[in-house]
Amino acid sequence: MEVASSSSSPHSIRLCYGYKDSRSFSSSSLVPFCVYKGVHSAHSLYRRSILRSSSNFSSKCFFHHAKKEIPALQHRPSLKVGFNRPYCYDNLCSRNRFYRYTVVRSELADFGNSGAALPLPAHEVLAKVRGVCFYAVAAIAAIILFQLMLVAHPFVLLLDRYQRKAQHFIAKIWSTLTVAPFVRIEVQGLENLPPPDTPAVYVSNHQSFLDIYTLLTLGRSFKFISKTSIFLYPIIGWAMYLLGTIPLKRMDSRSQLKCFKRCMDLIKKGASVFFFPEGTRSRDGKLGDFKKGAFSVAAKTKVPVVPMTLIGTGKIMPAGQEGIVNSGSVKVVIHKPIEGSDAETLCNEAKNTIAKALNQG
């Protein structure tokens, strides 16, 4: 509520009055407070309502004369007037502040409870520790064996430029030293592998970063296809270059065509290539759609397609969680080679074979 003093009064200044106590409504219970550019004891919403509803306020002066006498208040004010009372409104604001305060405090108290941040389960902690040890062993073995690869590389280029059996033998030692302390690998169907000097196109499902380590333990000198960014990694990327890994830029048609021609040239010169037809790792363990690039290479070069199924690598090192190594075993199933001149038929047959082994495993 807002009233003003009379201009004839010696103390004719603009005052705003409000009830101090909601139970008393006499004129003696009015408490004056000054208003100057929105500074007063009430809330900001109440301040704006006073300034807008006052027809006698002047923004150019601190005090000014009012035109009306202070009326004698003998009746109970309406609900709207009562709501605008400074004392009651301050009470309401203080209650809201107290409510917000108690809510924040309760949230902080809940955050500190034992149920808010539970410690990691023992198996998750162990998986992280195993992951650190896995990469530590891989790094130490790679640093030592990479020096052997550097020493042998000039002789490899002179005597075995395309298959590079010596480099792949060193890579087999490295992968075996890295994987053996943490994962047990079981291989089925070794008799289905073509002779070492017979070129072929190998295809497999792709579930984990661990797939590369597992396949290198087979000791076959096939050429992987990898993203160009991987070659920038110290030691590992350099070793991949020495192994003859084929670089590929994804979403680049020129790079894909160059990779396709490179694979065909290697096969014609007696080397084998390895493809992951899904193109990326599966995050749910299910087999994705196969791309036909690998099967087109096999159909044009008339070499067999050797399907392989990897089971368990996605559970040990899930895609996107390369920092952990869970306990478990990996099963590698080598299927009988598939021959044909139609890429579509080769693709469907290889996918069905791998899918069947995944469902059984």
Side-chain angles (χ1 to χ4, degrees):
M1 177 179 177
E2 179 182 346
V3 293
S5 63
S6 174
S7 58
S8 60
S9 174
H11 302 286
S12 57
I13 61 174
R14 183 177 181 274
L15 298 176
C16 293
Y17 285 79
Y19 288 100
K20 182 176 181 180
D21 192 351
S22 60
R23 293 171 296 181
S24 176
F25 302 100
S26 63
S27 59
S28 60
S29 63
L30 293 175
V31 179
F33 59 96
C34 295
V35 178
Y36 173 63
K37 292 187 179 181
V39 180
H40 57 82
S41 62
H43 192 265
S44 59
L45 294 176
Y46 175 71
R47 177 178 66 248
R48 287 193 289 269
S49 64
I50 290 176
L51 294 179
R52 291 178 182 178
S53 63
S54 177
S55 60
N56 303 319
F57 178 73
S58 174
S59 59
K60 297 182 180 180
C61 62
F62 183 76
F63 299 109
H64 70 89
H65 294 278
K67 296 181 180 180
K68 296 183 180 181
E69 294 285 346
I70 299 176
L73 300 177
Q74 301 295 336
H75 65 281
R76 185 181 183 89
S78 63
L79 180 61
K80 182 177 180 181
V81 175
F83 178 77
N84 286 332
R85 289 195 298 267
Y87 179 78
C88 297
Y89 201 80
D90 284 345
N91 270 351
L92 180 61
C93 294
S94 63
R95 290 172 191 167
N96 290 338
R97 286 194 297 270
F98 178 74
Y99 175 75
R100 291 194 297 269
Y101 175 76
T102 55
V103 170
V104 173
R105 285 297 301 272
S106 63
E107 289 175 355
L108 292 176
D110 290 341
F111 180 79
N113 290 339
S114 58
L118 294 175
L120 289 175
H123 69 276
E124 292 187 10
V125 176
L126 183 60
K128 292 181 179 293
V129 173
R130 288 166 60 91
V132 173
C133 296
F134 175 86
Y135 287 108
V137 173
I140 294 173
I143 292 173
I144 297 174
L145 295 176
F146 179 71
Q147 300 178 26
L148 296 178
M149 296 180 73
L150 284 177
V151 173
H153 193 64
F155 302 98
V156 170
L157 293 178
L158 291 174
L159 304 175
D160 189 16
R161 186 179 186 88
Y162 300 105
Q163 293 193 21
R164 305 189 182 187
K165 294 180 181 179
Q167 305 287 39
H168 280 274
F169 178 74
I170 297 175
K172 177 184 178 180
I173 297 175
W174 171 68
S175 59
T176 303
L177 291 175
T178 303
V179 175
F182 308 96
V183 180
R184 183 174 62 87
I185 300 177
E186 178 186 356
V187 182
Q188 293 183 0
L190 282 173
E191 65 278 4
N192 295 326
L193 285 174
D197 294 330
T198 302
V201 174
Y202 295 82
V203 296
S204 172
N205 60 311
H206 198 13
Q207 294 184 348
S208 170
F209 182 66
L210 193 63
D211 295 343
I212 306 297
Y213 292 89
T214 303
L215 294 169
L216 285 175
T217 59
L218 298 177
R220 287 303 176 112
S221 57
F222 36 64
K223 311 302 177 189
F224 289 100
I225 299 174
S226 177
K227 296 184 298 183
T228 54
S229 59
I230 304 297
F231 290 86
L232 301 177
Y233 292 174
I235 308 298
I236 302 298
W238 305 337
M240 291 173 60
Y241 174 79
L242 298 180
L243 287 171
T245 303
I246 304 170
L248 173 66
K249 291 182 180 180
R250 292 183 178 179
M251 309 304 295
D252 188 342
S253 58
R254 292 184 179 180
S255 178
Q256 294 175 359
L257 182 60
K258 186 177 180 180
C259 176
F260 185 81
K261 292 180 178 180
R262 175 67 175 164
C263 291
M264 295 185 64
D265 291 340
L266 287 172
I267 290 176
K268 291 177 181 179
K269 293 175 181 178
S272 299
V273 293
F274 196 101
F275 288 86
F276 291 112
E278 296 171 275
T280 186
R281 291 169 292 176
S282 173
R283 294 186 177 273
D284 55 4
K286 297 180 180 179
L287 193 64
D289 296 333
F290 277 19
K291 296 178 174 61
K292 299 178 183 178
F295 308 99
S296 298
V297 172
K300 291 185 177 182
T301 56
K302 298 180 180 180
V303 297
V305 176
V306 183
M308 303 173 66
T309 304
L310 300 175
I311 304 173
T313 55
K315 295 181 180 179
I316 295 176
M317 187 182 289
Q321 302 180 33
E322 287 75 17
I324 66 173
V325 176
N326 297 312
S327 59
S329 60
V330 174
K331 186 178 181 180
V332 183
V333 182
I334 303 171
H335 304 283
K336 294 181 179 181
I338 304 171
E339 296 183 0
S341 58
D342 183 42
E344 183 73 23
T345 303
L346 291 173
C347 180
N348 293 334
E349 190 172 352
K351 182 178 179 180
N352 293 335
T353 302
I354 295 174
K356 183 179 179 180
L358 277 176
N359 294 332
Q360 293 178 353

